[in-house]
């Protein structure tokens, strides 16, 4: 299970440290791509392949599904940590997520998300009020 929140710097080459705790779950190679909400999604290969199989089943006539699939796959890049545990985030992905000198890396069950600290803070501030309501709703469903 991927979990936790980590703050790391981004070097001049666009590399960010992926915490060992998360690297163990992600495996030797994994996929980074555009996420939802101005962050990056990082998928272990098995989850990426599972997502691929699901998206492959969507009809070509579904305009929204095709747009999502194009954006997700066109921006995807295979990552392999170097000996220091850093991964290279291509400039186009860093620009999309607003990641410059710092990054917030979070574990979200089956994927990792990489945020700019500003976007992560803004997201948290906007979601704080909804958290209690959502938690109460989920608890009411037995989750």
């Amino acid at each position: 299970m991927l979990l936790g929140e980590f703050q790391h710097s981004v070097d001049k080459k666009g590399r960010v440290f992926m915490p060992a705790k998360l690297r163990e779950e992600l495996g030797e190679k994994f996929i980074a791509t555009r996420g939802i909400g101005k962050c990056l999604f990082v998928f272990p290969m098995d989850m990426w392949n599972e997502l691929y199989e699901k998206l492959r089943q969507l009809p070509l006539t579904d305009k929204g599904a095709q747009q999502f699939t194009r954006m997700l796959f066109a921006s995807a890049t295979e990552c392999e940590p170097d000996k220091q545990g850093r991964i290279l985030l291509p400039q186009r992905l860093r620009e999309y997520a607003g990641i410059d000198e710092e990054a917030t890396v979070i574990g979200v069950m089956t994927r990792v998300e990489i945020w700019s600290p500003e976007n992560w803070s803004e997201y948290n501030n906007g979601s704080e009020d909804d958290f209690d309501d959502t938690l109460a709703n989920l608890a009411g469903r037995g989750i």
Side-chain angles (χ1 to χ4, degrees), residues 26-42:
L26 288 169
E28 292 181 21
K29 291 184 182 181
F30 39 88
I31 301 293
T33 190
R34 288 176 61 152
I36 298 169
K38 292 292 184 183
C39 72
L40 304 179
F41 285 171
V42 180

Side-chain angles (χ1 to χ4, degrees), residues 122-135:
E122 184 179 320
Y123 176 82
N124 278 320
N125 290 338
S127 298
E128 201 168 298
D129 294 337
D130 296 334
F131 182 78
D132 290 343
D133 293 338
T134 302
L135 183 60

Side-chain angles (χ1 to χ4, degrees), residues 103-121:
T104 301
V105 180
I106 64 170
V108 186
M109 296 190 322
T110 59
R111 71 177 181 274
V112 168
E113 294 180 356
I114 305 175
W115 294 75
S116 73
E118 298 81 15
N119 286 347
W120 178 239
S121 178

Side-chain angles (χ1 to χ4, degrees), residues 6-18 32-35 37-42 87-106 112-120:
F6 310 88
Q7 300 293 325
H8 292 288
S9 61
V10 178
D11 70 15
K12 293 181 186 205
K13 294 182 181 179
R15 297 176 299 191
V16 65
F17 180 75
M18 185 63 66
T33 190
R34 288 176 61 152
K38 292 292 184 183
C39 72
L40 304 179
F41 285 171
V42 180
I87 60 167
L88 177 64
L89 296 176
Q91 183 176 352
R92 70 185 186 282
L93 289 179
R94 292 192 318 271
E95 287 174 357
Y96 166 77
I99 295 170
D100 190 23
E101 295 177 359
E102 298 289 323
T104 301
V105 180
I106 64 170
V112 168
E113 294 180 356
I114 305 175
W115 294 75
S116 73
E118 298 81 15
N119 286 347
W120 178 239

Side-chain angles (χ1 to χ4, degrees), residues 39-50:
C39 72
L40 304 179
F41 285 171
V42 180
F43 294 99
M45 291 306 281
D46 61 336
M47 290 301 300
W48 180 254
N49 291 331
E50 188 176 310

